[in-house]
Amino acid sequence: METGKQKGAPLPTVRRLPTYLRLLRQMEKDGREFVSSTAIADELHPESIQVRKDLAVTGIEGKCRVGYPVSELIQAIEEFLGWDNTTDAFLVGAGSLGAALMGYEGFERHGLNIVAAFDIDDAKVGRPLRGKEVLPLSKFTDLARRMHIRMGIIATPADAAPSIANLMVASGIRAIWNFAPAKIIVPENVVVQNEDLSSGLAVLSRQLAEILEKEGEA
Amino acid sequence: METGKQKGAPLPTVRRLPTYLRLLRQMEKDGREFVSSTAIADELHPESIQVRKDLAVTGIEGKCRVGYPVSELIQAIEEFLGWDNTTDAFLVGAGSLGAALMGYEGFERHGLNIVAAFDIDDAKVGRPLRGKEVLPLSKFTDLARRMHIRMGIIATPADAAPSIANLMVASGIRAIWNFAPAKIIVPENVVVQNEDLSSGLAVLSRQLAEILEKEGEA
């Protein structure tokens, strides 16, 4: 087993790793010990060369004729993503999106623990959200520092997002997961992942238009 | 103005179009008539060659020294994405994720109109969700056919998603936006967009691990 993990792995590869992980966990549950890149490709992708390239970032190599050791590969992907340790996160925005994220299946299995939700709205503060009390935004900085929180999740309306991002950065947050459809600006030593639902809708709308056009022409 | 729209535009390009659209609408609101690819790149991306390539799919070309006509470009992107017409969609899964999607800012501006939400849970049926009554799943097929609904949104738990996808396909749905972390299988004449939140988390977790490692080494 090689231990030479690559840094700066290609983002598309990183994005695909959870999908491999889900399949591998299912295979492990089914009692499978080894799996070939071809078998993985059959389930997920058309090209098994892509599977081999993607999985190479973990440092695990498939063996001739038997393939990858399933459990070892699961562990290596989890390590690579940092999902073998729990990451505590604070969420801001206790609306329905915040509730959806706090209840999203699988986050805990990915080592994400949303320990507290904050809101600026007095009507939401003090009420429970998915079993956790919503805290006033004024407590964010103090609690984030005391608890050494490194990840922040923005689930506010778009216009609130930039100032929430500033608050997070000032409170020691180093990774921001931004679900608001707004641009946020952070220093170089902070990473941001924007989840813009409009991007997915754009792809789907365009593809739907294409198949309907094609049928109209036919 | 060229009208030769490219079919089968690269997906990364399509994914970026909503970001351009948001910036261009802001510029239009600010009274700007023309914008260069360099000015767009300064706001959004490091490479202006990428901007020119992306915007080429709309058929609009930037003019020497003045750049792109802002209003025309907005219209061309909307047309390309099919966002100049309203798409009616049915949503299944009236939980907090469903509520978040029904209330998500900007979907209506993108021509997406979620006309009804369905659930299998009797406790949710008949109650309002974002101002619309939740309907029983048993009514899905009949209503989808009568209203010629082409887009379906899955916001159910993972284990329900495959059977909901089958129901949608059988009801004439041609485009499925799947928010459940589950694989769904559809015929070739149906398009699927999977929004797997774990992918974004993977990227963010890995990047956070990288910056923290780097600092630990320094």
Side-chain angles (χ1 to χ4, degrees):
Chain A
M1 176 180 160
E2 288 196 13
T3 52
K5 288 185 211 166
Q6 281 181 32
K7 287 192 188 172
L11 288 192
T13 292
V14 179
R15 293 189 72 84
R16 282 189 288 266
L17 290 178
T19 310
Y20 293 122
L21 199 52
R22 196 175 303 139
L23 177 68
L24 291 164
R25 280 182 181 141
Q26 186 57 52
M27 288 174 164
E28 190 182 44
K29 230 167 83 181
D30 297 344
R32 199 152 164 179
E33 283 181 50
F34 289 91
V35 62
S36 68
S37 57
T38 323
I40 294 175
D42 281 348
E43 287 283 336
L44 304 174
H45 291 286
E47 301 283 353
S48 71
I49 180 117
Q50 185 64 61
V51 174
R52 280 197 296 276
K53 268 173 74 178
D54 282 346
L55 295 179
V57 300
T58 64
I60 303 286
E61 282 186 13
K63 279 153 207 154
C64 219
R65 284 168 206 269
V66 280
Y68 296 93
V70 173
S71 303
E72 220 172 298
L73 191 52
I74 290 173
Q75 209 185 325
I77 295 175
E78 287 179 338
E79 262 177 46
F80 181 82
L81 294 175
W83 287 358
D84 50 338
N85 291 309
T86 301
T87 300
D88 289 337
F90 276 4
L91 178 142
V92 177
S96 52
L97 179 58
L101 293 172
M102 296 203 52
Y104 195 75
E105 294 175 87
F107 280 170
E108 280 194 24
R109 210 173 41 194
H110 298 338
L112 177 64
N113 182 24
I114 306 179
V115 289
F118 296 81
D119 208 290
I120 204 165
D121 180 359
D122 285 340
K124 284 177 186 147
V125 169
R127 295 179 60 175
L129 187 73
R130 297 271 172 177
K132 279 161 193 164
E133 191 192 345
V134 177
L135 303 172
L137 194 60
S138 55
K139 289 197 175 167
F140 188 96
T141 302
D142 184 45
L143 279 174
R145 287 202 183 131
R146 275 201 281 155
M147 295 174 72
H148 302 285
I149 302 294
R150 291 286 169 263
M151 190 179 287
I153 303 172
I154 300 180
T156 65
D159 55 359
S163 67
I164 297 297
N166 291 344
L167 174 75
M168 286 181 169
V169 170
S171 310
I173 296 286
R174 306 299 302 279
I176 297 178
W177 203 3
N178 176 31
F179 285 84
K183 192 182 165 189
I184 62 174
I185 296 163
V186 297
E188 263 189 25
N189 63 350
V190 175
V191 291
V192 172
Q193 171 71 19
N194 293 302
E195 293 298 330
D196 186 352
L197 296 185
S198 309
S199 292
L201 179 60
V203 173
L204 191 63
S205 301
R206 179 64 198 159
Q207 289 178 333
L208 177 61
E210 278 176 20
I211 58 167
L212 296 180
E213 265 170 38
K214 215 189 292 171
E215 288 172 2
E217 283 163 13
Chain B
M1 178 180 158
E2 288 195 14
T3 52
K5 287 186 212 166
Q6 281 183 31
K7 287 191 188 172
L11 287 191
T13 292
V14 178
R15 292 189 72 86
R16 281 189 289 265
L17 289 178
T19 309
Y20 293 122
L21 199 53
R22 196 176 302 139
L23 177 68
L24 291 164
R25 279 182 181 141
Q26 185 57 50
M27 288 175 165
E28 190 182 43
K29 231 168 81 182
D30 297 344
R32 198 151 165 179
E33 283 181 50
F34 289 91
V35 62
S36 68
S37 57
T38 322
I40 294 175
D42 282 348
E43 288 283 338
L44 304 174
H45 291 287
E47 301 282 354
S48 71
I49 180 117
Q50 186 64 60
V51 174
R52 282 197 296 276
K53 268 174 74 179
D54 283 345
L55 296 180
V57 301
T58 63
I60 303 285
E61 283 186 13
K63 281 154 206 152
C64 218
R65 283 169 208 268
V66 281
Y68 296 94
V70 173
S71 303
E72 221 173 295
L73 190 54
I74 290 173
Q75 210 186 324
I77 294 175
E78 287 179 338
E79 263 176 46
F80 180 82
L81 295 175
W83 288 358
D84 50 338
N85 292 309
T86 301
T87 301
D88 289 338
F90 276 2
L91 178 143
V92 177
S96 52
L97 180 58
L101 293 172
M102 295 203 55
Y104 195 73
E105 293 176 87
F107 280 170
E108 280 194 25
R109 210 174 42 196
H110 298 339
L112 176 65
N113 183 22
I114 306 178
V115 289
F118 296 81
D119 208 290
I120 204 165
D121 181 359
D122 284 340
K124 283 177 188 147
V125 169
R127 294 179 62 173
L129 187 74
R130 296 271 172 178
K132 279 160 195 165
E133 193 192 342
V134 176
L135 303 173
L137 195 59
S138 55
K139 289 198 174 168
F140 188 97
T141 301
D142 184 45
L143 278 173
R145 287 201 181 130
R146 276 201 279 154
M147 295 175 71
H148 302 284
I149 301 294
R150 291 285 169 264
M151 191 179 286
I153 303 171
I154 300 180
T156 65
D159 55 359
S163 67
I164 296 297
N166 292 343
L167 174 75
M168 286 182 170
V169 170
S171 310
I173 296 286
R174 307 298 301 280
I176 297 178
W177 203 3
N178 177 31
F179 286 84
K183 192 181 164 189
I184 61 175
I185 295 163
V186 297
E188 262 189 26
N189 63 349
V190 175
V191 291
V192 173
Q193 171 71 19
N194 292 302
E195 292 298 330
D196 186 352
L197 296 185
S198 308
S199 292
L201 180 61
V203 172
L204 192 62
S205 301
R206 178 63 197 159
Q207 288 178 333
L208 177 61
E210 277 176 21
I211 59 167
L212 295 179
E213 266 170 40
K214 214 188 294 174
E215 288 172 2
E217 284 163 13

